[in-house]
Amino acid sequence: MRRRTVTAGNLEEILQVTAPAQAAEPAAALPAAAPPPREEHGLRTEFEFELPRGYVDEAGTVHRHGAMRLATARDELRPQIDLRVKENPAYLSVVLLSQVITRIGNITDVHAGVVERMYATDVAFLQDFYRRVNSEGHTRAAVTCPHCEGGFEVDLSGGRLGES
């Protein structure tokens, strides 16, 4: 397979060469077709969470609610070639979490620097949340009441423990 290097100078040329052939009539004259309806497969790919402590941004705002998507094979492989991970293997979880967290509060650009500035409690929570979502496919955890020793499930994705 031959690869071609794209620079800003020849990008337009490549787009013109690779563009599909235009019909004789302009496309604007035709009515716009509605996109086909999306099929729902029942697969949940994004999971909401609430951090135990919360991420504090530069302005001092605390962000506790966020979302994490399912990891892909690429997400798990990419940190292996990251130089920061090669120098310090413990950094793997920081890089991996920064790739799968889609938002924290109103922050949508979640990168390794954001995860680095999180409290250790929140990082541990996110590591466990990642494991549950990606290996077990859900966010429920079986727990036992310390007083009555009764067993029940809690959903780790939302709400503080003990709140209804």
Side-chain angles (χ1 to χ4, degrees), residues 8-74:
N10 66 357
L11 180 59
E12 288 300 321
E13 173 192 339
I14 292 172
L15 289 174
Q16 289 174 354
V17 170
T18 59
Q22 296 292 328
E25 295 180 31
L30 298 174
R38 276 182 71 181
E39 291 183 33
E40 290 296 326
H41 298 287
L43 177 63
R44 186 172 172 198
T45 60
E46 189 166 272
F47 297 83
E48 300 280 325
F49 61 80
E50 184 176 342
L51 295 172
R53 299 229 184 264
Y55 169 71
V56 182
D57 64 15
E58 294 82 18
T61 306
V62 178
H63 304 275
R64 296 189 61 210
H65 297 279
M68 178 185 293
R69 65 174 174 76
L70 286 176
T72 62
R74 175 175 279 173

Side-chain angles (χ1 to χ4, degrees), residues 8-135:
N10 66 357
L11 180 59
E12 288 300 321
E13 173 192 339
I14 292 172
L15 289 174
Q16 289 174 354
V17 170
T18 59
Q22 296 292 328
E25 295 180 31
L30 298 174
R38 276 182 71 181
E39 291 183 33
E40 290 296 326
H41 298 287
L43 177 63
R44 186 172 172 198
T45 60
E46 189 166 272
F47 297 83
E48 300 280 325
F49 61 80
E50 184 176 342
L51 295 172
R53 299 229 184 264
Y55 169 71
V56 182
D57 64 15
E58 294 82 18
T61 306
V62 178
H63 304 275
R64 296 189 61 210
H65 297 279
M68 178 185 293
R69 65 174 174 76
L70 286 176
T72 62
R74 175 175 279 173
D75 293 327
E76 298 230 345
L77 293 171
R78 187 176 289 152
Q80 301 296 330
I81 61 171
D82 192 298
L83 294 177
R84 298 168 294 186
V85 174
K86 286 184 177 184
E87 290 175 7
N88 181 5
Y91 201 74
L92 180 123
S93 63
V94 171
V95 174
L96 186 56
L97 288 173
S98 70
Q99 293 182 126
V100 297
I101 296 172
T102 57
R103 68 176 169 77
I104 298 175
N106 59 1
I107 300 169
T108 56
D109 180 24
V110 180
H111 50 81
V114 171
V115 178
E116 284 177 354
R117 291 189 302 269
M118 287 183 172
Y119 293 110
T121 308
D122 291 334
V123 173
F125 168 82
L126 289 169
Q127 288 171 330
D128 184 56
F129 192 74
Y130 174 91
R131 183 186 56 78
R132 286 186 181 281
V133 165
N134 287 286
S135 65

Side-chain angles (χ1 to χ4, degrees), residues 132 138 140-144 151-154:
R132 286 186 181 281
H138 59 80
R140 296 180 306 278
V143 295
T144 303
F152 58 96
E153 282 189 346
V154 295

